[in-house]
Each structure stands twice: as structure tokens, then as C-alpha cells.
Amino acid sequence: MDGELNSTYIILDGYVELSKYRYVYFFILFTAYILIMCSNLIIVYLICIHKNLQEPMYIFIAALLLNCVLYSTSTYPKVLIDVLSEKQIISYSACLFQFYIFYFVGPSEFFLLAAMAYDRYVSICKPLQYPTIMTNTTVILFLCVAWFVPALHSAIPIMLLNSTKVQLCHFNLKGIFCNNAIYTLQCVRSRSIAIYGVFAVLDVVILPIILIVFSYTKILIISYRSCKEVKKKAAETCLPHLLVLFSLTCLSVYDISIVRVDSDFPKTARVIMTLQIVMYHPLFNPFIYGLKMKEIHKHIKCLFSQDKAILEV
């Protein structure tokens, strides 16, 4: 049965009038992919080479941006090939791989945002204890949890979906890549996968959000009672994280709910929201952190001013 599933091909039926807008799709997606790779990797590069950016907060930002690179690389090349192809198909095994990366990266970002929130909480609410709390060991521990726990969670539904008990009766996937919609291919929705899905959402999405809300609530209370300098510091460092959290949460709510309203959701609206997932968040992160984080913004300006000076010479 495993061999049969792996050799099965799924039709990606999420595009709207692809034959008419083929090159428009390609231009938009190719441009977005180049921007995503360049913007994310530039900031990661700056964090790696500048010692004043090698602090816990910036290390977590670099990890978050590397997630965007990983996710985009697992999605965009295949989508770009599909846009130029006569048939938009993917093997079931490749579909499961895309599914795994998607549900590894998403929850991982929630954990990284929780680590950032805790870092800001310690920095603003316990500044004297910051060096002893946010040590290199603490940062490595947070990174391991942020990557290992979601990787483990994502592996379990892959094993269930690839088991002999799962049978496929449908081969048209209403999407341009493999996400939650893969469950609609099953002849009978697996109760064990549904139960595990609820547990996973509570564990890797709701729990980090609760920790984030708790941390920022404490920061807000301390900032309200403190001087203007503390309020300014809190606003400058916390606002980008909250903006990223808001966008990630909105897209996650859409992804979780789309399977439950599968038949009623218009195809055009579906492709627009799917493009939001593959484009908006990976592009949003580097621009938010590049513009809102003073130290990163300063190094970006220096980098491009040096490039400009070289070109002029």
C-alpha cells in the first residue's frame, strides 16, 4: 500500500484561469521568491557578521527568517514549474514532504515568537538579571525546542497519512501546494488524525500564544508604570514581534478553518488567500524587522551605502 501511495499523483487544482494568466502568475511569484530570498538572507547575513547583533533577540530573528527561506524553498520552485507546465501534478510522497515542511515551519515560528517575547520580558522587566538568565545555553535551549517540538509534531501526521489504513478516493487538491487540504483526499476522514490535530493546535499554537500574551501583558504593565525611556524601548522592540504574531495568527486561523468549509469557499478567494500564505508572511518578516529594529536598519543602510559607493567608483 505504501508503494501505491508514493506512486500516486495528485492534481493541484487551485489555480484560477491559469492558461490565461500563466505568465502573470509566474512573474508575480518569481519576483516574490527573489525578494523573499534576498531580503531574508541579507538580514541573516548581517546578524551573523556583526557582533552587536549577536544577541538573543537578533539570533531568534535570524532563526525566524531562516524558517521563511526553508518554507519558500520547499514551495516556490515547484509552484513556478507548475505555472509553466500543462499539468499541475505532484506525487503523493512529494505532497507529504511539502505538508511536513509547512507544518514544521508554522508552529516553529510561534515558538520563536514566544522566545522573543520572553527575551523582551526579561530585558524590560528584569534588566539586572538579563545577562544571567539569557545565556548562550538558554538561547540554544529555546532554539532546540522551537525546532525539535514542531518537527516531531509534524512527523506524526505524516506517518498516519502514509499508513496502510489511509485510502485516497480523491486526487484533485484544491490548492497550489500541499497543506491541510490534503485531508480532503481521503475516502474517510481519519478520527485519530482529527483528534491529534486538535491536540497539536493546543500544544504548538495556543500554548506559545498564551506565553506571548502573558509576557507582553507583563511588559505593558511595567512600561505603563515606568519612565518614557522604558516605554520607548518597549514600543521599539515589541511592536515588530506583535505585528508578525498578528499576521501569522490570521494566516494560521485561515489554514486551520479552510478544510472545515471546503465546499463553500470560492476558488478565487481560496487562491488569493493561498498566495497570501506563500507571499505575505515570508516577505512581511524581513521588512518589518529591517525597518522597525533600529540596529538592523542601521546596518542595512550601511550595507547599501557601501554598495552605492562601490558602484560610483
Side-chain angles (χ1 to χ4, degrees), residues 262-276:
D262 183 65
S263 59
D264 302 324
F265 210 70
K267 192 173 182 179
T268 303
R270 184 189 299 274
V271 75
I272 290 171
M273 287 303 299
T274 303
L275 288 173
Q276 291 281 318

Side-chain angles (χ1 to χ4, degrees), residues 71 75 95 98-108 110 154 157 161 173-184 189 197-198 200-201 204-205 246-262 265 269-278 281:
Y71 164 67
T75 307
C95 193
Q98 276 194 343
F99 177 93
Y100 175 78
I101 295 296
F102 186 78
Y103 292 105
F104 155 59
V105 169
S108 175
F110 280 108
S154 298
L161 287 167
L173 188 74
K174 294 180 180 179
I176 62 175
F177 68 96
C178 297
N179 59 353
N180 245 344
I182 198 173
Y183 294 130
T184 63
R189 300 279 180 94
V198 173
V201 168
V204 299
V205 176
F246 178 75
S247 70
L248 182 62
T249 303
C250 290
L251 294 175
S252 298
V253 168
Y254 162 76
D255 182 72
I256 292 167
S257 60
I258 189 59
V259 175
R260 290 156 181 79
V261 293
D262 183 65
F265 210 70
R270 184 189 299 274
V271 75
I272 290 171
M273 287 303 299
T274 303
L275 288 173
Q276 291 281 318
I277 291 173
V278 299
H281 194 61

Side-chain angles (χ1 to χ4, degrees), residues 143-164:
L143 290 175
C144 288
V145 170
W147 280 324
F148 178 75
V149 173
L152 182 63
H153 269 282
S154 298
I156 293 172
I158 293 296
M159 290 187 287
L160 293 172
L161 287 167
N162 207 32
S163 70
T164 55

Side-chain angles (χ1 to χ4, degrees), residues 7-232:
S7 61
T8 298
Y9 282 88
I10 309 300
I11 299 170
L12 298 169
D13 190 28
Y15 296 95
V16 176
E17 297 191 53
L18 181 57
S19 57
K20 185 177 179 181
Y21 298 111
R22 186 183 306 276
Y23 296 106
V24 175
Y25 276 119
F26 183 84
F27 175 77
I28 292 172
L29 291 167
F30 181 74
T31 303
Y33 184 50
I34 297 299
L35 285 172
I36 287 167
M37 297 301 287
C38 291
S39 58
N40 283 281
L41 290 175
I42 284 172
I43 295 178
V44 172
Y45 168 74
L46 291 173
I47 291 171
C48 289
I49 65 169
H50 292 290
K51 286 187 177 180
N52 70 319
L53 294 182
Q54 291 171 10
E55 297 177 2
M57 178 176 64
Y58 298 113
I59 292 170
F60 294 137
I61 290 173
L64 194 72
L65 301 185
L66 283 174
N67 275 2
C68 292
V69 171
L70 173 63
Y71 164 67
S72 299
T73 303
S74 71
T75 307
Y76 272 86
K78 178 66 174 79
V79 172
L80 289 170
I81 292 169
D82 286 340
V83 166
L84 297 179
S85 303
E86 288 300 317
K87 293 182 179 179
Q88 293 71 48
I89 59 174
I90 186 171
S91 68
Y92 188 69
S93 56
C95 193
L96 290 179
F97 175 74
Q98 276 194 343
F99 177 93
Y100 175 78
I101 295 296
F102 186 78
Y103 292 105
F104 155 59
V105 169
S108 175
E109 294 195 2
F110 280 108
F111 277 95
L112 288 170
L113 288 170
M116 290 180 196
Y118 179 73
D119 175 76
R120 292 301 85 202
Y121 162 71
V122 176
S123 175
I124 294 169
C125 302
K126 300 180 179 181
L128 298 178
Q129 299 175 43
Y130 184 83
T132 57
I133 294 175
M134 294 305 295
T135 61
N136 289 337
T137 304
T138 306
V139 173
I140 292 169
L141 179 63
F142 277 137
L143 290 175
C144 288
V145 170
W147 280 324
F148 178 75
V149 173
L152 182 63
H153 269 282
S154 298
I156 293 172
I158 293 296
M159 290 187 287
L160 293 172
L161 287 167
N162 207 32
S163 70
T164 55
K165 295 180 181 180
V166 173
Q167 293 184 339
L168 304 182
C169 289
H170 311 284
F171 301 93
N172 274 41
L173 188 74
K174 294 180 180 179
I176 62 175
F177 68 96
C178 297
N179 59 353
N180 245 344
I182 198 173
Y183 294 130
T184 63
L185 303 177
Q186 299 171 19
C187 299
V188 179
R189 300 279 180 94
S190 170
R191 181 175 291 182
S192 58
I193 292 177
I195 293 171
Y196 177 77
V198 173
F199 167 73
V201 168
L202 291 172
D203 194 28
V204 299
V205 176
I206 303 300
L207 180 59
I209 288 177
I210 291 172
L211 294 173
I212 292 167
V213 170
F214 173 79
S215 297
Y216 284 123
T217 302
K218 294 288 285 184
I219 290 170
L220 185 65
I221 293 170
I222 294 293
S223 301
Y224 181 75
R225 295 172 180 172
S226 303
C227 61
K228 286 184 178 180
E229 295 247 342
V230 175
K231 290 178 183 178
K232 186 180 178 182

